[in-house]
Amino acid sequence: MIPWVLPASYNTIGDIMVVVGMLVVEIFLLLQLLPRHGPSVPLTRMVLGSTLLLGSSGLLMAIAAAALSPTLTNYTVVLLAFNGMMLVPIGLWFIMLILLQDRRADVRGWFWPTVIMLMAVSAELLMGVVFVVSDGTTPIDVSAVAAGSLLSAWFLWSMAGTMFALLLWVRLDRALSVPLLGLAGSAVVAPWVPVSPLFGLALMAAVMVATLLAIARGLSLRSGPGPLGRIGPAAAVVIAFLAMTTTGSAVALAPSDLLPQLAFGIVMLGTMGGELLVLVREGLRPSAGPAGAVAGSDGPSVPSAPASSGATE
C-alpha cells in the first residue's frame, strides 16, 4: 500500500486547489520572462515579473505568521501584504516605464537568472512552510519546520511542476533535457523518503536508474565534437544523485532524527534551485545574438544591410 505524503482530510482538497492556482500564476509569470523567440524581454517586464514573484513570497510569509499566531494584527498584515502584492509591482512598473521606456534586459550575465530563480524558489519554499505549519502535525520548532517544509510534497511537487513546465517551454538539447528531467522526477518521489524511507529510497533508485540509463543511451548514440559539453550535465546529475542517496540513506538509518532529514532537504533545495537556475539561464539564451551581443539590448538597433543580389540598378 502506498503511504500518504499529504494530510488525509477534506481540507487537503482546498489546499491543493490553492497550490495549483498559485503554481499556475508562477509558471505564467516565468513564461512571460523567458522569451522562446526573438530578443530579450523589456526591462520593465523583467522588473514587474520579479516584483510579483517577490510580492507573492511576502504574502506567504504573512500567511505563515498568521498561521503561527492567529491574531487580528497578523491577519491585518496578511491583507496589507495582499494589497502590496497587487499595487506595488504595478506602481514600480509605471515608474520603470517612464524611466527606462523600451530598454531591453541584459541577460548575458547571471544576474537576472539568479534573481528569477531566488524569487521563484522562495515563493515555493514559503508555500511549503505555510501548509506545513497550518497542518498542525509538525512541532513548532525551527529545525522541524525547516525539514518538514523542504521535504513536503507542497514544496517539492510544486518545484517539480515548475520544472516540467519549463522543460516543455525552454528549447534544450537532449543531452541537457534528459538529466534535468531526471532531477525533476526525483523531486516527485522525494517526499516519500521521510514518510516511508525504504519505499521512498526504492522510488528514488528507480528514477536514478532510469535517468542514468537514458543518459548513457544518449551518449552512446551521439558522436562528434564536444563530448565534454554532453558529459558535463550527466556528471552534475550523478553528483546530485549521490548526494540524494547519501542523505536519503541517513534518513532511513535514523528516521526519527531531524538532522538527516534536514540534510536531505537541503540537498533537494540545492538541486531544485540549481536546476531552475539552469532552465532560466537557458530560457534567456534565445535573446543572445552573434558574438555575445543581446538582441534588443540598450541602444538603438541597427538594421542589417540587405544581401547583395549581384546586380547594380
Side-chain angles (χ1 to χ4, degrees):
M1 182 177 180
I2 299 176
W4 289 95
V5 293
L6 291 176
S9 67
Y10 291 108
N11 294 331
T12 304
I13 299 175
D15 294 341
I16 291 174
M17 294 175 64
V18 172
V19 171
V20 171
M22 297 189 69
L23 183 61
V24 168
V25 172
E26 179 182 308
I27 292 174
F28 174 78
L29 291 174
L30 289 174
L31 297 188
Q32 298 307 304
L33 300 178
L34 304 179
R36 209 173 188 201
H37 304 285
S40 59
V41 299
L43 195 52
T44 51
R45 186 192 299 182
M46 193 72 78
V47 171
L48 177 62
S50 300
T51 50
L52 282 172
L53 289 172
L54 179 61
S56 65
S57 300
L59 176 61
L60 288 169
M61 288 178 65
I63 295 175
L68 286 170
S69 179
T71 63
L72 179 60
T73 300
N74 286 337
Y75 282 119
T76 303
V77 172
V78 171
L79 293 176
L80 290 175
F82 181 78
N83 290 332
M85 187 186 70
M86 294 293 101
L87 298 177
V88 172
I90 300 299
L92 287 175
W93 177 73
F94 274 116
I95 295 173
M96 293 297 103
L97 193 62
I98 295 172
L99 296 177
L100 303 176
Q101 298 180 5
D102 58 348
R103 287 172 56 186
R104 299 280 174 175
D106 187 353
V107 295
R108 288 169 293 187
W110 288 93
F111 175 75
W112 283 115
T114 303
V115 167
I116 295 171
M117 181 273 293
L118 289 176
M119 299 298 183
V121 172
S122 298
E124 299 284 4
L125 181 56
L126 286 169
M127 184 160 56
V129 172
V130 168
F131 287 104
V132 166
V133 170
S134 61
D135 179 44
T137 59
T138 302
I140 305 303
D141 176 76
V142 174
S143 299
V145 171
S149 303
L150 289 171
L151 296 178
S152 69
W154 303 115
F155 168 61
L156 289 174
W157 287 0
S158 298
M159 287 299 304
T162 302
M163 303 302 177
F164 290 139
L166 293 184
L167 283 169
L168 291 174
W169 177 259
V170 178
R171 298 180 181 274
L172 297 173
D173 184 79
R174 181 178 172 83
L176 184 57
S177 63
V178 170
L180 294 181
L181 183 62
L183 289 181
S186 67
V188 175
V189 301
W192 272 281
V193 173
V195 175
S196 178
L198 294 180
F199 181 74
L201 287 175
L203 292 178
M204 293 284 288
V207 171
M208 293 177 187
V209 170
T211 303
L212 294 177
L213 288 176
I215 292 174
R217 183 173 183 273
L219 290 175
S220 64
L221 292 178
R222 294 173 62 95
S223 61
L228 292 179
R230 298 192 296 272
I231 295 177
V237 169
V238 170
I239 293 173
F241 280 160
L242 285 175
M244 292 180 202
T245 303
T246 302
T247 52
S249 300
V251 173
L253 292 174
S256 60
D257 194 351
L258 279 177
L259 187 59
Q261 295 185 27
L262 190 58
F264 183 51
I266 291 174
V267 168
M268 294 305 302
L269 175 64
T271 301
M272 294 299 100
E275 180 177 1
L276 183 58
L277 181 62
V278 171
L279 282 170
V280 172
R281 173 67 172 167
E282 293 296 322
L284 292 173
R285 280 187 182 274
S287 61
V294 177
S297 59
D298 297 349
S301 60
V302 180
S304 58
S308 175
S309 60
T312 57
E313 298 182 5

